[in-house]
Amino acid sequence: MADAAAKSTTREITYREAVRAAIRDAMQRDERVFLMGEDVGRYGGCYAVSKGLLEEFGPARIRDTPLSESGFTGAGIGAAMGGMRPIVELMTVNFSLLALDQIMNNAATIRHMSGNQFGVPLVIRMATGAGKQLAAQHSHSLEGWYAHIPGIKVLAPATLADARGMLWSALEDPDPVLIFENVMLYNMSGELPEDAGAVNIDKAAVRREGADISLITYGGSLWKTLEAAETLAGEGLSAEVVDLRTLRPLDDETIMASVRKTRRAVVVDEGWRSGSLAAEVCTRIMEQAFWDLDGPLGRVCSEEVPIPYPHHLEQAAIPQADEVVAMAKALMGRE
Amino acid sequence: MSRAADKPHLSREHALDLLRAMMRIRRFEGECARLYTEQKIRGFLHLYDGEEAIAAGIIPVLEARDRIVATYREHAHALVRGIPMNAVMAEMFGKQEGCSHGRGGSMHLFSSETNFYGGNAIVGGGMPVAVGLALSDHMRGDDVVTACFFGEGAVAEGEFHESLNLAALWSLPVLFICENNLYAMGTALDRSESVTDIHKKPDCYGIDAEVVDGMDVVAVEAAARRAIAKVRETGAPHFLECRTYRFRAHSMFDAQLYRDKSEVEEWREKGPIVRFREWLEDAGMAHGEEIEKIAEEIEGEVAEAVAFAERGSWEPVTELTRFTYADRTA
Ligand SMILES: Cc1ncc(C[n+]2csc(CCOP(=O)(O)OP(=O)(O)O)c2C)c(N)n1
């Protein structure tokens, strides 16, 4: 085994290609898997994720749908209950609101309401996040809302390995799993072993070790937070960066272990501050690790405004590395 | 496919089965209404009183492998489908012996054994799910029909149109059954729909539709035989509008201020049970005593179901978070 791992070659790959490889791999492994959504076939996916898959797998399994978010998401639920393993692609989280009824009232509740007789092994993928100057109706980060709902699982792959590996784990899950892909990550590239496979979806990951403060984040904000940690290192502050990876259920253990070590924390979240995932993480730290803290917690979230169109306003609305740096320094009494 | 198989054979035995199915629903629900006033059954309770010919006429025509998606007014569908009355009654009580382990209640009866994909309390919410169930069968090439029941209120919802479009576009074996009882809670059909001939709507999706007198169990069964045979033959969707009426309030909370008592009385005279019973007696196919005997049998079954539900147990609160995800036990 060690030999084989050592031999596996790495290849330069983009996040987009990693997601595509994950879909292809799933389709090859399991005949029950199919992808459906708006423009996933002929068009190749609105973020070009599924490009080429129609030619490879045909229109029954790479299934273009009409503009019917509720209809085809519900159809995914039915197909999953009927024994298939559908991957439903919703172009972005903004349009997923038209399918919210199906996600919340059916996918998340049927196992419970049926007394465990029926599960919904469905995976729903969608893009989230701001940064492409698409204005309010195409730029929001609502994964925190979905993380509020019991009965579903919510994943936010931030790395190439997670983009490649989380889908298979999600498909093996007997319950509905939502995967949020930050739009700013699709072009990100890096080295990934060619045989990279499934990853554990139950644990958060420490992406950078540190001793003085924990920076807790996920998705598109991970890279800005790592940048902030680098800047802080230059100023003699050692920041630990925790990537939540799974937003529901949260991995309290990894979060608390980091906070107990550093005794301080900042949560970075592209959602709006009020009622945010950051609020949830902070509260859990208060509940579980208050006596281990040396100071108040901090949050860097999006401004409470519909995301604006102009570049400078859009960037000002969402978390940035320098804000994370400033918040961390303020919490440590360094101005 | 011989057309003869599509026709109901109205033997004496079969006729009595139809009557029995309708009487059984009526009696079960009458008991539920009584138990509701005793607060044994709580929450929303939507009765099928007046609409029995639809479930009784359609569901027995389906095969065991076929699937059913229903609404919150689904006791009849569940009973006719063969979920034991005991399990349905225990579910109404919220006892863990219920068909959904007590977690669903009146509006969420489920049964994996009989391919009963639930009661759904969101108007229109079951329609895309039915399309997806049919999609799974279509993709595997399985010869299965999914029957999807909904009220005429659902016709105004986007999910109705999305579902019909998808089913037709992908040619999926769904039988859409609109139970048109003329009212969506208190809103009469002509106050909510620009086109009140509901069976005309599927036409714009290229789906064939039929309208049938939903108060006539024989007519419903005949239409169901044609429709189900057609869906099975073609693998394509079909639509049945059953015109009916509910004699009781929308739910137990409804004072029925939106319609006259006389209107309800007129419809009651056209009720599916009286009408079929009289016809059977007039035709000499059944005698009063026989029907009384059926009523007695049902009485016994209902009494046993109530006793079963009473004897049932409450799920321990320590198990509260079970069934939120798979494998998660208390
Ligand atoms: C999406 C949605 N909106 C509103 C309601 C509240 N509601 C419950 S039943 C009902 C009327 C539905 O009427 P119809 O579809 O004709 O069915 P019927 O009750 O007559 O069988 C309404 C408005 C609901 N359950 N779901």
Side-chain angles (χ1 to χ4, degrees):
Chain A
M1 281 313 278
D3 232 359
K7 261 189 249 148
S8 86
T9 47
T10 68
R11 187 168 73 83
E12 172 95 6
I13 189 171
T14 62
Y15 184 98
R16 165 184 296 109
E17 288 163 348
V19 178
R20 183 186 307 144
I23 297 170
R24 176 185 292 119
D25 178 42
M27 306 260 307
Q28 284 167 347
R29 269 193 217 220
D30 187 342
E31 284 194 343
R32 299 172 303 171
V33 174
F34 66 100
L35 175 72
M36 77 174 144
E38 290 154 6
D39 281 319
V40 298
R42 284 293 144 83
Y43 190 87
C46 75
Y47 288 98
V49 166
S50 48
K51 205 164 185 184
L53 296 180
L54 175 67
E55 289 70 27
E56 199 171 337
F57 297 103
R61 294 184 74 198
I62 301 294
R63 188 169 279 265
D64 279 319
T65 63
L67 302 174
S68 288
E69 284 81 4
S70 190
F72 69 75
T73 301
I77 292 166
M81 292 173 79
M84 301 298 282
R85 287 291 177 277
I87 305 169
V88 165
E89 176 176 313
L90 288 161
M91 283 184 172
T92 82
V93 66
N94 311 277
F95 319 141
S96 78
L97 301 187
L98 279 79
L100 194 53
D101 164 53
Q102 288 295 329
I103 296 171
M104 179 123 142
N105 285 320
N106 283 338
T109 60
I110 280 173
R111 179 181 297 283
H112 179 89
M113 293 193 309
S114 70
N116 213 24
Q117 291 178 87
F118 295 109
V120 182
L122 168 69
V123 174
I124 305 176
R125 295 175 38 247
M126 62 188 109
T128 186
K132 293 199 171 283
Q133 286 200 255
L134 299 174
Q137 291 178 340
H138 283 74
S139 304
H140 289 143
S141 292
L142 304 177
E143 51 278 1
W145 283 10
Y146 285 102
H148 178 67
I149 306 172
I152 61 177
K153 292 181 185 170
V154 177
L155 312 183
T159 65
L160 294 171
D162 280 355
R164 177 76 174 80
M166 278 185 164
L167 181 71
W168 183 248
S169 311
L171 281 165
E172 289 207 309
D173 199 289
D175 291 308
V177 180
L178 272 53
I179 304 181
F180 288 88
E181 299 160 11
N182 188 286
V183 289
M184 298 310 290
L185 297 179
Y186 284 124
N187 287 330
M188 176 179 79
S189 67
E191 296 284 327
L192 191 70
E194 291 208 344
D195 60 357
V199 296
N200 181 322
I201 56 172
D202 301 328
K203 298 302 279 178
V206 176
R207 299 292 184 200
R208 178 188 173 113
E209 300 264 354
D212 298 332
I213 190 163
S214 298
L215 307 179
I216 301 166
T217 188
Y218 69 89
S221 296
L222 172 65
W223 303 98
K224 294 176 185 171
T225 304
L226 284 167
E227 191 189 321
E230 195 60 33
T231 307
L232 288 167
E235 303 191 21
L237 291 176
S238 163
E240 177 148 301
V241 177
V242 177
D243 173 6
L244 293 172
R245 301 177 71 244
T246 298
L247 311 185
R248 185 181 191 99
L250 282 168
D251 172 13
D252 289 359
E253 212 181 318
T254 303
I255 298 170
M256 299 316 148
S258 177
V259 171
R260 290 203 171 97
K261 184 169 84 170
T262 63
R263 311 179 76 87
R264 295 177 194 272
V266 175
V267 184
V268 185
D269 174 1
E270 204 174 312
W272 291 298
R273 179 184 305 262
S274 305
S276 59
L277 189 76
E280 176 63 27
V281 172
C282 286
T283 306
R284 287 185 187 214
I285 294 172
M286 298 290 280
E287 288 167 343
Q288 298 174 45
F290 181 75
W291 302 109
D292 294 300
L293 294 176
D294 280 346
L297 302 169
R299 283 195 277 166
V300 179
C301 298
S302 279
E303 287 294 332
E304 310 259 324
V305 63
I307 303 291
Y309 162 65
H311 180 70
H312 67 296
L313 293 181
E314 179 181 46
Q315 292 303 315
I318 61 177
Q320 300 297 348
D322 57 356
E323 293 173 80
V324 180
V325 170
M327 176 66 77
K329 284 167 69 176
L331 291 180
M332 305 214 42
R334 300 256 214 118
E335 287 312 319
Chain B
M1 174 103 230
S2 98
R3 282 289 148 194
D6 306 347
K7 298 240 168 62
H9 299 287
L10 210 56
S11 66
R12 212 178 81 86
E13 202 183 330
H14 182 59
L16 288 177
D17 282 347
L18 290 174
L19 183 67
R20 182 182 295 111
M22 294 194 291
M23 289 169 62
R24 187 166 169 263
I25 299 164
R26 179 79 55 98
R27 184 63 197 93
F28 173 84
E29 288 199 324
E31 188 63 11
C32 288
R34 192 186 67 74
L35 290 161
Y36 195 87
T37 61
E38 284 188 5
Q39 306 201 351
K40 299 277 186 184
I41 295 174
R42 310 300 303 267
F44 280 140
L45 178 66
H46 309 92
L47 302 179
Y48 203 63
D49 197 357
E51 309 188 18
E52 294 88 349
I54 304 172
I58 295 172
I59 292 175
V61 182
L62 294 165
E63 307 276 342
R65 66 180 180 284
D66 294 334
R67 310 176 193 266
I68 294 177
V69 174
T71 64
Y72 47 83
R73 201 181 293 285
E74 87 283 28
H75 314 131
H77 310 99
L79 289 175
V80 179
R81 183 56 170 177
I83 306 179
M85 190 183 285
N86 284 0
V88 177
M89 189 60 95
E91 189 62 36
M92 310 291 286
F93 277 58
K95 299 285 179 82
Q96 58 183 342
E97 290 76 12
C99 63
S100 304
H101 204 78
R103 296 292 185 107
S106 163
M107 300 189 287
H108 307 292
L109 306 174
F110 284 86
S111 156
S112 55
E113 214 169 293
T114 64
N115 289 321
F116 197 81
Y117 292 85
N120 198 311
I122 307 296
V123 170
M127 301 190 71
V129 176
V131 169
L133 287 164
L135 175 62
S136 71
D137 296 319
H138 171 82
M139 289 185 80
R140 280 190 302 260
D142 290 347
D143 168 31
V144 172
V145 174
T146 295
C148 177
F149 292 88
F150 53 92
E152 85 291 344
V155 170
E157 294 275 2
E159 282 181 331
F160 170 87
H161 298 275
E162 295 190 22
S163 300
L164 260 62
N165 181 48
L166 280 177
L169 184 71
W170 292 343
S171 192
L172 303 177
V174 187
L175 175 59
F176 293 102
I177 301 141
C178 179
E179 302 180 322
N180 179 5
N181 62 16
L182 301 177
Y183 289 93
M185 290 185 60
T187 303
L189 181 58
D190 59 11
R191 287 167 41 98
S192 66
E193 279 300 308
S194 52
V195 173
T196 54
D197 265 335
I198 288 169
H199 61 282
K200 287 187 180 159
K201 293 180 186 272
D203 190 43
C204 62
Y205 300 103
I207 297 176
D208 288 340
E210 192 174 339
V211 54
V212 62
D213 178 357
M215 291 294 181
D216 176 349
V217 68
V218 177
V220 173
E221 188 191 315
R225 283 184 182 277
R226 285 190 294 274
I228 291 165
K230 186 152 179 246
V231 175
R232 221 182 282 289
E233 247 171 55
T234 61
H238 195 77
F239 193 105
L240 212 52
E241 177 190 350
C242 302
R243 292 209 172 143
T244 184
Y245 196 82
R246 76 171 145 69
F247 299 155
R248 292 199 192 224
H250 167 72
S251 74
M252 303 299 278
F253 294 108
D254 165 16
Q256 299 193 75
L257 304 175
Y258 48 85
R259 62 183 185 185
D260 287 341
K261 283 207 170 71
S262 60
E263 180 184 304
V264 181
E265 286 317 310
E266 268 169 45
W267 273 94
R268 264 196 192 281
E269 281 163 31
K270 296 187 267 184
I273 298 179
V274 260
R275 192 164 137 190
F276 192 53
R277 181 184 170 150
E278 274 169 18
W279 183 82
L280 284 178
E281 287 186 90
D282 289 350
M285 282 175 88
H287 302 287
E289 291 147 45
E290 275 173 303
I291 296 170
E292 285 318 308
K293 197 160 154 274
I294 291 173
E296 265 167 47
E297 282 165 18
I298 293 170
E299 205 55 47
E301 190 189 11
V302 171
E304 164 49 24
V306 175
F308 177 84
E310 293 276 12
R311 278 199 306 277
S313 50
W314 300 112
E315 189 177 4
V317 173
T318 49
E319 296 187 1
L320 174 66
T321 58
R322 274 178 86 190
F323 310 151
T324 304
Y325 297 95
D327 309 321
R328 267 248 302 243
T329 45

